[in-house]
Amino acid sequence: MPVKPLSATSLSMNGLGTFMLPCKKIVLQYCNWNGSAEGMRQFILNELKDYAASNPKIEFNIIKKTGHPVVKGYYPYNQVKSICVRNLKPFEIKRKLDLIKNNSSAQLTSYKNNVTSKNKNPRGIWSPFHVAPSLRHKI
Amino acid sequence: MNLLLLRSSSLKRTSCSFLSKSLSGNGFLISPSIALHYSTITPEKNNTLKAAEEHVNEINEINQKHKENHASEIKNQNSNSAPSKIQPISHKQTRLIVEKQIKFKETALRSPLLITLHRRLELPKSFELYSLARCLTCKGRTSQYSKNADNSALAYFGESLLDYYVTEHLITKYPRLPLKILENAVDAYTSDKVLHDVAANSWGIEADNSLPIDLALRDVDSSYYLGKLRYVERHKQLENDSNFIQIDTKKNSTTERNAMASAVKSILAVYYASTESLSETKKFIHAHILSRKLDVSSLFAFNQPTRELSVLCKRENLEPPVTRLISETGRLSRSPVFVAGVFSGTEKLGESYASSLQEAKIRAAVAALKNYYLYSPLNPKYPSDEDFSPALIVDHGDVIV
């Protein structure tokens, strides 16, 4: 057999065939007595039902636990992002939830290149060897 | 191509028998609801009861017919012949079975995880939630409601659906791919590792990794756990007193990877069963699995590329390949670059660069071979397309060096 096959795995390209929301689960952690969870309690009582209904692709969980209220988002590859929402008002908590909902779970980094892509450049890269010999740089 | 077509026709046949056996559609509707733990969804009880009554009536009719047939058979037969062993199911038993089924369906309707997964995948309404729960139940972890409702049969059918559409896609896209490379390319889309990635990281299916003691203590069939992937975990390494590694061969045990893969395959099967359309299933497979990126050119490892190329040229009635130096720089320096091209007559078959003449020659031959094997027709039609007209393709097979 002259050609040997190598094994490979295909890579996920989210958004190409279909878009799956990276955020799959949101956990709201609140406390019944803590003053810092006042806004969270109001949010759970009044606004959470509508918010959850408008985001049917995300599973919402509520956990009662002492301490400051926390909002946690669960993403692919076992990634978790949590935001402490102590002393925040319901509308501010809603903003934090939007932040978690729209997150891609990627680490915040400053990109050095203007374009990063998994695909090859369709035009190829410029090659000095394919310029006409008369136009080449001469040393 | 003919093989593919043949396989597609056999697929259709198996699917029909499968449909009648495993999934008979009921008039269930998924009520729009919020996926919350505390939220309670009231299923349309009247509908379920009606469906149940219809079901019972059907079974009664079948039993009645069975009895009549049996009686007539006995009349016809001689008194010496032994009576048939098959006995109809009693009314009480059917009632029990149906009640369990209803309970299972109602529990599935209340499961927040199942509802979320249904919405995430944008499944059609005819894809019932209890079917989704069945897709997530692997062999050995059936529920108390229905003992035979695992996903093994569904996964078997879904696997052939998936294999068919992936193979069809790759053969149509790259008609000259050698068989071994094609097999590996299909594996790159359908292997358990890839399907595990699809299920766990894209679809967001969670595995139920609870310890056996937890399973014994809690309500395993509660609506919440129906939405998780339920399987018997295989423990590979168990240390006993003498520190020997044992392999736990528990019956029906699988790894998480296999279990996830079977869940994906069975969801494909039920997708077909609920839409009753192969074209919809094809769209679903293309959207979720074939949209993944695979560089097919990275699957090749050539042993003797220059020899293979010359044999290939001879077979295709082309002039023998000649390697020519196109351009070079720094021949006497420590980092030279040579650009070599392989020509057959006046036509350039391939071109590449390297830091030595020999390597440049080999790389150019590899590029030429890849140009040949990775030929891809523009806007191809799949055999499963309606407006597909089979063209005569004569493939000479692998190049023998």
Side-chain angles (χ1 to χ4, degrees), chain A residues 2 18-19 26 50-53 77 79 91 94 108 113 116 139:
Chain A
T18 180
F19 176 69
I26 290 178
D50 290 341
Y51 191 82
Y77 301 101
Q79 297 243 42
F91 76 92
K94 203 175 173 184
L108 294 178
N113 298 331
T116 42
I139 303 163

Side-chain angles (χ1 to χ4, degrees), chain B residues 380-392:
Chain B
K381 290 271 178 226
Y382 296 117
S384 60
D385 285 345
E386 279 180 6
D387 49 348
F388 171 76
S389 56
L392 184 70

Side-chain angles (χ1 to χ4, degrees), chain A residues 9 42 71 107:
Chain A
T9 48
Q42 280 177 13
V71 178
Q107 288 279 322

Side-chain angles (χ1 to χ4, degrees), chain A residues 22-74:
Chain A
C23 180
K24 57 178 180 181
K25 182 168 141 187
I26 290 178
V27 172
L28 301 128
Q29 185 188 309
Y30 77 105
C31 172
N32 254 350
W33 315 109
N34 208 331
S36 64
E38 178 64 40
M40 185 66 149
R41 288 195 293 269
Q42 280 177 13
F43 180 80
I44 290 172
L45 270 176
N46 306 325
E47 292 176 38
L48 180 59
K49 206 171 180 183
D50 290 341
Y51 191 82
S54 59
N55 296 297
K57 293 186 177 181
I58 303 171
E59 178 204 344
F60 284 84
N61 268 341
I62 300 167
I63 290 175
K64 197 176 93 175
K65 200 178 172 189
T66 48
H68 288 312
V70 178
V71 178
K72 280 182 188 172
Y74 288 78

Side-chain angles (χ1 to χ4, degrees), chain B residues 137-201:
Chain B
T137 312
C138 294
K139 215 169 190 178
R141 276 290 295 275
T142 46
S143 60
Q144 62 192 21
Y145 306 119
S146 45
K147 278 182 180 168
N148 297 321
D150 60 40
N151 67 6
S152 53
L154 296 171
Y156 186 74
F157 177 60
E159 191 178 359
S160 37
L161 272 178
L162 181 65
D163 276 350
Y164 172 69
Y165 284 115
V166 171
T167 316
E168 178 199 64
H169 172 76
L170 284 166
I171 282 186
T172 319
K173 203 176 174 193
Y174 304 108
R176 288 182 189 159
L177 225 51
L179 188 66
K180 288 264 167 105
I181 308 276
L182 178 71
E183 279 171 3
N184 276 27
V186 171
D187 260 11
Y189 285 109
T190 62
S191 68
D192 285 358
K193 190 183 172 188
V194 172
L195 294 182
H196 173 266
D197 185 48
V198 170
N201 299 323

